[in-house]
Amino acid sequence: MCGIVGYIGWREAWPILAAGLHRLEYRGYDSAGVAVVAADGELKVCKSRGRVDELERMAASHDVTGRVGIAHTRWATHGEPNDRNAHPHCSASGGLAIIHNGIIENHAVLREALEAEGYGFRSDTDTEVIVQLIEYIRDRSGCSLIEAVRGALGELVGAWAVAVVERGEAGRIIAARKSSPLVVGVGEGEFFLASDATPIVEYTDRVVYPADGQIVELSLAEGLRVTDMAGNEAGVEIEQLRLSISQLEKGGYPHFMLKEIFEQPGTVVDAIRGRVDAGLSEVVLSGVRDNRERFLGARRIVIVACGTSWHAGLIGEYMIEEMCRVPVEVEYASEFRYRDPVIEPGDVVIAISQSGETADTLAAVEMARGRGAFIFGVCNVVGSSIARATHSGAYIHVGPETGVASTKAFTGQVTVLMMLALAVGRLRGSVTAEFVADKIKHLCALPGQIAGILSRAAEVADLAKNFTYARNFLYLGRGYSYPAALEGALKLKEISYIHAEGYPAAEMKHGPIALVDSEMPVVVIATTDGVYEKTINNIREIKARGGRIIAVVDHDDTVVRGIADHVIEIPRTCPHLAPVLASVPLQLLAYHIAVNKGRDVDRPRNLAKSVTVE
Ligand code: F6R
């Protein structure tokens, strides 16, 4: 989703801004643009539909020199993706330029009011309203730019991260955020601004995360100043960034997605590291240990998340109910936040989010927090909005995930949820020490087992060739394999654009079996667990109707092998962790089908990595 970059300092801004836009490409976008203030105060704007490469080609024939600038990648919400709607947007006089990530819900009313005052609009965006409003306030009251920005933001309903530059003012950027991410990088005599730390990491490891409702002034003369919406000074807390450039590169892989799939043996180790005691008998999660009364007293647990993180949450539900004997509900954050749910003090809400910036999950967290629940975050991005809005949590520590399709974050989330269930189960006395020790053994075996699956990745690539031209896919599983089936289907549809549905295998008979014919590949996760025999019956029902079965089975399975058209073998683990192992070949299957179809795997159409609008 929209990406923001800004620079002010002693270097030429444009090369830094362009590199930053490339770093943010993974978020998804359809147009890009830049505004630079030259040394003589001239404000130069250049923008176009399409990729950052196109903007760079355009900028090469425009003069975009200057040491102060802001740049943007836009993921269209209001108005189609075209040159006109691309950011930056300028005020009526042309004296101010703004970039914005978020949505202004009351833009239509504001636009009407400004039009009545004679302001003309050049785009269909909600963003243009903000810059016109800033200029209107300043023209009417003669106040400073920062006061006008504060005044305009006070009129807005919605979410924003904005950055504003001004003609004639080659020494200042004003930025602000509410419910949309923004990071400030602090260098020597220079400042950086971005939607996340990836454009900043090669210049400085000192960052400031402005809080919701704060306004940041970056000035060459006066340094960094942070104030709130009332104009009060806020403290500036500089944090150290733990991110390296090598983590942001493809490292020889053709796509980030493939690199991230292959990183999983290491990322699962990172998720477990330091959380299992030396005797391999206890899980130690500080976020649980420090809040033991909350978990002991929990009447129920509600998990909120979106997309892949929601699938991990479903697995978390099964684990926590089984091991902690406490009722768990898993909610789509977007539904939860708008349906007035019963949330009371004493409830524990677990928010799962890779990016930590998903607008619906953040809003769900804020609502539940407002109603007195204890909020525990399972996030990847350190210092992200959701991580900061929670009372406590456990990071998954899988490193930056750049491919739009989530892979290593999913396996990291399931790993952490397993440790959470074990820690809370032990705390509540609902699982024995022996049970925990046995599960720790399985957890510690995961990295090697994933490496084993990846060593046979070529077999999945071969298999994928048979299905490149399939038009529909079904993914089935029961028990812990059901969320893994949902996740397998989501991976395929989002990057290959093949229609794919995940279903609980037994639900087939209640409708979807009508779709099965000889054209229909059906992926069935049939690992050995309490419902293995039942899954075999479901496979027979599909075969009887001519369906083509691709079965994910334990390496020593003999029964399903005799019935399925194709098998993908995975090592044996406990049922709780089988979704981690099953998801790896399904990620590869989706990847290779998408590559065979010539899809843009890392940046699939219409999708954004970080969904910062609801
Ligand atoms: C799918 C995918 C999305 C995200 C969803 C939530 O591959 O990546 O479905 O899982 O947008 O994102 P986070 O986890 O960042 O809250």
Side-chain angles (χ1 to χ4, degrees), residues 305-311 352-359 361 386 401 403-407 409 413 487 490-491 494 607-611:
C306 302
T308 288
S309 298
W310 187 88
H311 296 155
I352 308 174
S353 174
Q354 185 285 127
S355 62
E357 300 296 347
T358 301
T361 310
I386 294 170
E401 190 179 67
V404 162
S406 189
T407 52
Q413 288 164 344
E487 176 57 10
L490 179 63
K491 285 297 83 94
E494 67 184 329
L607 287 178
K609 181 67 183 163
S610 194
V611 185

